[in-house]
Amino acid sequence: MHKILIVGGGAAGLELATRLGDRFGKRGTAQVELLDCSRTHLWKPQLHEIASGSMDSGTHQLDYAAQARRHHFRFRLGEMIGLDRHKRELSVGPILDEEGKALTPPRTLGYDTLVIAVGSSTNDFGTPGVRQYAIALENPVEAARFQRRLVNALVRAQTQVEPLRPEQLHIAIVGAGATGVELADRDVKIELLEGTDRILPPLPPRVSEMALERLHRLDVEVRTSAHVAEILPNGVKLADGTVFPAELVVWAAGVKAPAVLKSLDGLETNRINQLVVLQTLQTTLDENIFALGDCAACPWPPGKGTVPPRAQAAHQQASHMVGQIMRRLRSKPLKPFRYRDFGSLVSLGRHQSVGNLAGLVTARSVFVEGFFARMMYLSIRKMHQIALHGYLRAMLGTLTEMLTGRTAPRVKLH
Ligand SMILES: Cc1cc2nc3c(=O)[nH]c(=O)nc-3n(C[C@H](O)[C@H](O)[C@H](O)COP(=O)(O)OP(=O)(O)OC[C@H]3O[C@@H](n4cnc5c(N)ncnc54)[C@H](O)[C@@H]3O)c2cc1C
């Protein structure tokens, strides 16, 4: 039986494993296996909600083993650490428990088709102090750590007898891309530092202006053209010597793919470690290995740039990959992936979003804000839930959230 091994169960990989499991695993026409170094999945765009305390990660995390059983694929816990393309074998490192004991041993996994979807992590660009003192919102553990530190800081400030220190209760977020801007929720008093001359640099200037106006209303200080030189134990130092005192620093200033991709038996990578792929999503040097999501550098528009690292791109590539696998199993020629940019939406608190929509009604970009934008923003997450659970269960989940939202506290304080 043809064996499809998917590495990384994120926005792209888990949707793919679920759909392939339903299509091939159920009928026994192909074997579908998913490897991830974590036991649970959380859709990454929700991380800022965990960090600000407006969402409890426990209730939104999906157990890979349960999803695998329900959708007829196998889940393997482990970390990809190497590859032998000649033998078609992936090397998997051990996973250790909290006490450092091996939970899963080192091993190898074979494949006929390998799909790599290991996402991305924050890029510190070699800035001193980032690893030691800043928090990066790249997984639920880090987001929950930020939330705990924030609540502790508030409790400490409320009960201490001495006056507040200069950095106390100051929060600096470095990088005003979507992650940084979305964390600027009204429950958090922050300073947003951006190296370029406007916030949300990849989005149209009008969206930057709309978001800036909202941030001002939320009392968020925004500083553009602020080039960060170093993160200090109690603040952020700019290249011009200015120091912003801050008790908590979040680093959200760029992404890069995991370093392990640089050592996958010579597969071609770019300067931010992404696997270079053809329009078919096949890696340039091995037709049996595909890459999708944030870890793939896929040409778009062809010959000019690459597909941006976004959830909607991961979702579209996962859908395209289902078709590619079907064509591969039937020995038919593969089709090129074409990214459709439907615009970008940025969430600003519980009821507000701003952004631009493109290609839905007309080819032109339409700017949206307020309740409608919020609904469109939530619909991206809904599409992910539908891909994982089907329409009925996704709608039941929405209903449950609406009901529990009426009794649950609005902000998590423990
Ligand atoms: C805070 C935040 C907010 C965001 N907001 C938005 C938004 O509003 N809109 C939007 O479009 N995009 C947003 N994004 C980007 C979006 O989340 C990503 O583009 C998307 O998750 C990429 O999907 P992926 O499947 O490529 O990777 P991921 O979803 O990151 O999944 C990668 C998976 O691979 C696993 N993995 C990693 N390394 C290994 C390994 N060596 N071995 C085994 N498994 C491994 C990880 O555990 C993870 O499960 C946001 C990202 C962040 C961090």
Side-chain angles (χ1 to χ4, degrees):
M1 214 193 305
H2 190 96
K3 186 170 166 192
I4 305 154
L5 176 60
I6 302 162
V7 188
L14 186 57
E15 288 190 16
L16 180 65
T18 302
R19 294 182 58 183
L20 290 179
D22 284 342
R23 198 172 282 254
F24 302 115
K26 195 173 178 180
R27 297 183 203 143
T29 43
Q31 190 185 332
V32 183
E33 213 162 80
L34 173 70
L35 174 79
D36 200 288
C37 49
S38 170
R39 289 187 227 196
T40 55
H41 161 78
L42 187 113
W43 196 57
K44 267 168 99 178
Q46 292 181 294
L47 288 177
H48 69 274
E49 295 178 54
I50 298 176
S52 67
S54 56
M55 198 187 93
D56 186 1
S57 68
T59 49
H60 286 82
Q61 274 174 333
L62 178 67
D63 217 307
Y64 285 122
Q67 182 75 357
R69 188 170 163 77
R70 196 182 282 270
H71 293 277
H72 315 280
F73 63 88
R74 287 183 78 169
F75 172 62
R76 306 279 200 162
L77 179 64
E79 183 182 358
M80 170 178 76
I81 55 168
L83 176 69
D84 186 328
R85 294 200 280 132
H86 182 67
K87 289 191 189 160
R88 292 196 192 176
E89 268 181 6
L90 191 82
S91 306
V92 180
I95 294 283
L96 308 178
D97 67 12
E98 297 78 22
E99 287 146 20
K101 288 188 204 148
L103 205 57
T104 57
R107 65 215 140 121
T108 55
L109 296 175
Y111 64 85
D112 296 301
T113 300
L114 176 64
V115 184
I116 301 177
V118 289
S120 61
S121 52
T122 35
N123 192 346
D124 65 11
F125 305 104
T127 313
V130 176
R131 293 283 146 205
Q132 295 96 307
Y133 307 120
I135 296 180
L137 290 189
E138 48 193 37
N139 56 50
V141 175
E142 286 293 284
R145 186 160 79 93
F146 175 86
Q147 193 265 340
R148 260 195 324 277
R149 283 188 57 186
L150 176 62
V151 173
N152 287 350
L154 293 169
V155 172
R156 205 173 293 124
Q158 197 196 20
T159 50
Q160 74 188 37
V161 281
E162 66 270 22
L164 290 182
R165 285 172 280 112
E167 78 280 8
Q168 213 175 335
L169 297 185
H170 282 209
I171 293 149
I173 298 184
V174 182
T179 302
V181 171
E182 288 181 340
L183 186 60
D185 193 284
R186 70 196 164 94
D187 304 314
V188 183
K189 182 79 179 150
I190 61 153
E191 196 123 38
L192 191 53
L193 305 171
E194 166 59 39
T196 66
D197 61 357
R198 66 180 173 96
I199 63 166
L200 299 168
L203 304 192
R206 171 93 190 273
V207 178
S208 303
E209 284 161 26
M210 292 194 295
L212 187 62
E213 199 240 325
R214 289 273 186 290
L215 290 174
H216 282 153
R217 272 198 245 158
L218 294 168
D219 274 343
V220 174
E221 293 266 342
V222 179
R223 298 187 193 240
T224 50
S225 305
H227 301 284
V228 173
E230 189 179 352
I231 305 297
L232 308 170
N234 291 321
V236 179
K237 187 175 177 189
L238 300 191
D240 65 7
T242 318
V243 172
F244 290 103
E247 191 164 24
L248 279 171
V249 178
V250 175
W251 187 267
V255 295
K256 65 173 184 198
V260 65
L261 300 178
K262 285 235 161 282
S263 53
L264 291 187
D265 204 357
L267 289 180
E268 189 188 354
T269 51
N270 65 10
R271 98 198 128 74
I272 57 162
N273 305 343
Q274 287 173 311
L275 289 170
V276 181
V277 296
L278 306 170
Q279 211 72 43
T280 53
L281 302 178
Q282 284 164 303
T283 50
T284 45
L285 300 179
D286 195 320
E287 60 175 21
N288 300 315
I289 303 178
F290 296 73
L292 26 144
D294 285 8
C295 75
C298 176
W300 182 83
K304 289 192 180 153
T306 54
V307 173
R310 292 200 196 138
Q312 60 167 312
H315 174 75
Q316 289 177 30
Q317 289 185 331
S319 300
H320 187 78
M321 195 62 218
V322 175
Q324 299 294 64
I325 297 276
M326 283 167 58
R327 286 181 274 276
R328 219 169 124 78
L329 292 180
R330 292 176 190 152
S331 305
K332 291 196 169 159
L334 301 185
K335 287 193 176 165
F337 169 74
R338 293 194 204 290
Y339 176 57
R340 284 193 68 193
D341 188 356
F342 291 108
S344 299
L345 291 158
V346 181
S347 164
L348 292 164
R350 205 171 264 257
H351 302 292
Q352 290 291 337
S353 292
V354 296
N356 68 312
L357 299 175
L360 287 179
V361 184
T362 63
R364 288 184 50 205
S365 179
V366 182
F367 295 97
V368 288
E369 56 185 320
F371 181 74
F372 176 70
R374 182 73 191 153
M375 289 300 108
M376 295 306 292
Y377 178 83
L378 293 177
S379 70
I380 305 173
R381 182 177 146 220
K382 224 20 81 194
M383 272 160 51
H384 180 60
Q385 289 177 339
I386 291 169
L388 298 187
H389 307 301
Y391 280 95
L392 184 65
R393 277 169 51 89
M395 292 311 142
L396 285 175
T398 308
L399 193 65
T400 312
E401 276 172 36
M402 283 164 70
L403 291 174
T404 50
R406 293 197 160 263
T407 51
R410 288 182 64 183
V411 179
K412 187 170 177 269
L413 292 175
H414 61 275

